[in-house]
Amino acid sequence: MPFGTPVPQADSFRVPMRDGVRLHTDVYLPPSPTRLPAVLIRTPYDKTRPDTLLPDIAARLTDAGLAVVTQDVRGKIRSEGRTEPFRAETGDAWDVLEWITAQRWSDGTVGCWGNSYYGFTAWVALASLHPAVRALVSRLTTTDIGGELIHRGGVFRLGPMVDWLTTTWADRANLATSPDWSRRPFAGLLDELPAVTGELSPAQWPTTPPGANRWRQLAFGDHTPGHGRVPTLHWTGWYDLFQSGQLRDWCRAQRAARAPQYLIAGAIDHQDDPHTPDGHGPDHLTDPAARETMLDRSLTPVIDFLLRHLGTGGAGEPPPPVRWQSTGTGRHTAPCWPPPGTRTLRLHLADAPAAASGPEGGALVARPDAEARPAGWDHDPDDLVPATDTNWWRPLPALPDERQVEGRPDVLTFTGSASRPSGLLGEQRPRRGEIHVPNRGLFRREVPRVVGTSPARGRSSCLQTVARHIDSDRPCRTPMTPPPGNAIVSR
């Protein structure tokens, strides 16, 4: 069966949009509903499919006294219309908000909630300026579609985007198989995809600049996301591929400061898997106990936030503005981000000639070499460096050991030790002017990786992958500076 089983505890409706297209919508209500605030969740991933966990999430929200409205977005699963991401979401959000507030059980207020793409649809509901939207929960997503979701550091996210377009937007039912990564050139994978975004075809995504107005128009039309307009809970994970975009959304909302803004940052990936010391953990999609633990962890703060800001009251004092967890440092709170007591750590690449000599390579040091020295390697297009993080969405259940690539002669490594025990917070990026790449048209990007080594466990685990676009016509310097939130916290 291509779709999830209809949920018996939900009432299903086909809600008409302004152009007559009907979107399939499920409504969950508490046993004895009065006039209630609603939580709106709009997704392309099938609102009834068990691995979306939306029926479980709806059950917990209704137990807390909230109505829940889940909807398959336009062109997906049971909803009518053309299958394409982004384009129609703002208008469709307004229309379903109009429908919700006209229901006899509605008190006229709505909180919008979502992860990933349906975190984006929560933002566009706020962007629609509908007066019913009073609170927003934005998890593991970003409003910067061109610069942070589709690209990173100016580099097109080839793997995640080809995978996402193929498995989610190639058809209505999410039945397409994963892409064939043995194909060369990789650009052919994009050529085969349908024109899912109107005039901006997938083949144009890699060459459309991240800051181009076309991305903003595609995502929000003539609207703006509305950072800071309503109380918002921003939730990111250190192993989430959209972490930097989420932190930028938090910073923008804080600067606007029109309503309370909260940040939760934890050692999780895009699918809410937690970091474990050995790099392996239970799968909450197949392990019932792990699923309940994950739901407790991810929903308890959300429910408290929604009850507090949708007019039904929250218990006790409001939470601190920032709650964060680093790997191995426990849980912390702070009045701001970065937390007080953090410091920015800059490490320099040293002993460059040794960088390709083995897993240890060159050095990471507090002070740069007195004289810059080059590091060289041989690039073989028939023997590319293999990608270890092939599960972009769920790396943590089986975090790969980076030692399999660190010893290659075409991989440069630089190794150093912290002067005292530290926990990494925020995004790590090459510093402006730190790395010079003589470019003769052969390379388009460099991919530095921050890797944590554990000699006692005999493994290396990737902490963060960075990408940088290289101009084709001149030697380049790193075109990025560390964003807000780039810090080291000492313990």
Side-chain angles (χ1 to χ4, degrees):
M1 187 173 183
F3 304 152
T5 303
V7 181
Q9 58 267 43
D11 295 319
S12 295
F13 303 87
R14 294 190 180 274
V15 177
M17 303 291 102
R18 63 192 67 184
D19 59 356
V21 169
R22 298 176 301 168
L23 304 188
H24 200 276
T25 306
D26 288 344
V27 177
Y28 300 77
L29 298 173
S32 300
T34 57
R35 292 175 69 82
L36 300 168
V39 179
L40 174 61
I41 305 170
R42 305 183 58 249
T43 179
Y45 303 118
D46 189 349
K47 55 186 166 48
T48 62
R49 202 172 71 189
D51 61 3
T52 67
L53 301 179
L54 289 182
D56 301 270
I57 291 167
R60 293 193 177 216
L61 294 174
T62 55
D63 285 346
L66 298 165
V68 179
V69 178
T70 63
Q71 185 175 75
D72 295 323
V73 299
R74 178 181 292 248
K76 291 303 302 179
I77 317 302
R78 297 178 177 88
S79 287
E80 299 171 353
R82 181 177 175 178
T83 303
E84 58 178 349
F86 305 121
R87 184 170 299 280
E89 301 296 8
T90 306
D92 289 350
W94 175 281
D95 291 348
V96 71
L97 288 164
E98 286 284 281
W99 182 85
I100 289 172
T101 54
Q103 303 308 299
R104 64 180 183 273
W105 47 261
S106 171
D107 73 354
T109 63
V110 179
C112 299
W113 179 94
N115 297 342
S116 194
Y117 186 83
Y118 50 108
F120 164 76
T121 65
W123 276 104
V124 297
L126 176 62
S128 76
L129 298 177
H130 197 286
V133 179
R134 305 294 177 84
L136 171 68
V137 179
S138 167
R139 298 185 81 251
L140 308 167
T141 191
T142 176
T143 62
D144 187 356
I145 300 305
E148 293 287 353
L149 190 147
I150 291 171
H151 297 80
R152 186 181 183 195
V155 177
F156 176 62
R157 295 183 188 264
L158 176 70
M161 288 300 105
V162 169
D163 181 71
W164 183 59
L165 288 170
T166 302
T167 59
T168 303
W169 297 103
D171 59 29
R172 180 181 301 273
N174 295 347
L175 291 179
T177 59
S178 296
D180 177 13
W181 290 109
S182 66
R183 173 160 183 175
R184 298 293 186 273
F186 287 136
L189 295 168
L190 292 165
D191 293 337
E192 293 179 348
L193 291 170
V196 295
T197 49
E199 73 277 4
L200 192 59
S201 69
Q204 294 174 287
W205 284 26
T207 56
T208 302
N213 189 56
R214 298 177 76 179
W215 295 120
R216 292 188 289 273
Q217 284 291 319
L218 177 64
F220 293 99
D222 295 329
H223 298 265
T224 59
H227 293 92
R229 186 181 300 143
V230 301
T232 303
L233 175 59
H234 308 255
W235 196 319
T236 191
W238 303 133
Y239 291 85
D240 180 35
L241 65 173
F242 305 134
Q243 172 218 126
S244 59
Q246 183 96 58
L247 288 174
R248 283 182 173 82
D249 283 329
W250 152 261
C251 291
R252 290 181 63 185
Q254 278 291 94
R255 287 195 296 269
R258 284 177 280 177
Q261 304 294 307
Y262 302 95
L263 174 66
I264 296 179
I268 58 172
D269 62 20
H270 195 69
Q271 292 288 342
D272 272 294
D273 303 294
H275 178 271
T276 58
D278 63 356
H280 297 273
D283 186 347
H284 62 256
L285 297 181
T286 57
D287 184 324
R291 180 167 60 251
E292 291 303 306
T293 299
M294 186 277 290
L295 289 171
D296 287 341
R297 182 183 68 248
S298 62
L299 285 181
T300 299
V302 169
I303 291 172
D304 177 73
F305 169 82
L306 291 171
L307 293 178
R308 190 176 298 277
H309 294 288
L310 291 180
T312 55
E317 293 294 319
V322 175
R323 286 164 281 179
W324 59 272
Q325 178 188 21
S326 185
T327 56
T329 66
R331 299 181 186 276
H332 308 269
T333 63
C336 59
W337 188 264
T342 61
R343 61 190 175 95
T344 297
L345 176 66
R346 292 191 176 101
L347 296 173
H348 300 267
L349 309 182
D351 193 17
S357 63
E360 294 297 317
L364 282 175
V365 295
R367 296 181 180 277
D369 286 344
E371 179 181 349
R373 293 182 293 169
W377 71 97
D378 292 326
H379 171 70
D380 183 354
D382 293 324
D383 183 22
L384 300 177
V385 177
T388 58
D389 54 347
T390 54
N391 192 335
W392 304 281
W393 319 105
R394 302 192 70 195
L396 287 179
L399 200 60
D401 187 346
E402 299 295 321
R403 291 178 303 170
Q404 60 185 293
V405 300
E406 289 171 356
R408 289 177 57 109
D410 54 354
V411 173
L412 307 183
T413 62
F414 297 84
T415 304
S417 300
S419 59
R420 51 179 167 165
S422 301
L424 290 173
L425 293 182
E427 185 183 23
Q428 293 80 54
R429 285 190 172 186
R431 190 182 176 198
R432 181 184 297 274
E434 180 72 24
I435 304 173
H436 303 254
V437 182
N439 182 28
R440 299 179 177 87
L442 298 177
F443 305 104
R444 297 291 296 174
R445 63 190 60 113
E446 62 179 18
V447 186
R449 315 194 74 175
V450 181
V451 173
T453 61
S454 177
R457 288 193 293 269
R459 63 180 291 112
S460 294
S461 300
C462 183
L463 302 178
Q464 192 157 126
T465 298
V466 186
R468 179 182 74 153
H469 182 77
I470 298 175
D471 293 336
S472 60
D473 58 348
R474 65 181 188 273
C476 71
R477 294 171 181 260
T478 305
M480 301 167 290
T481 55
N486 181 29
I488 299 291
V489 59
S490 297
R491 56 183 174 93

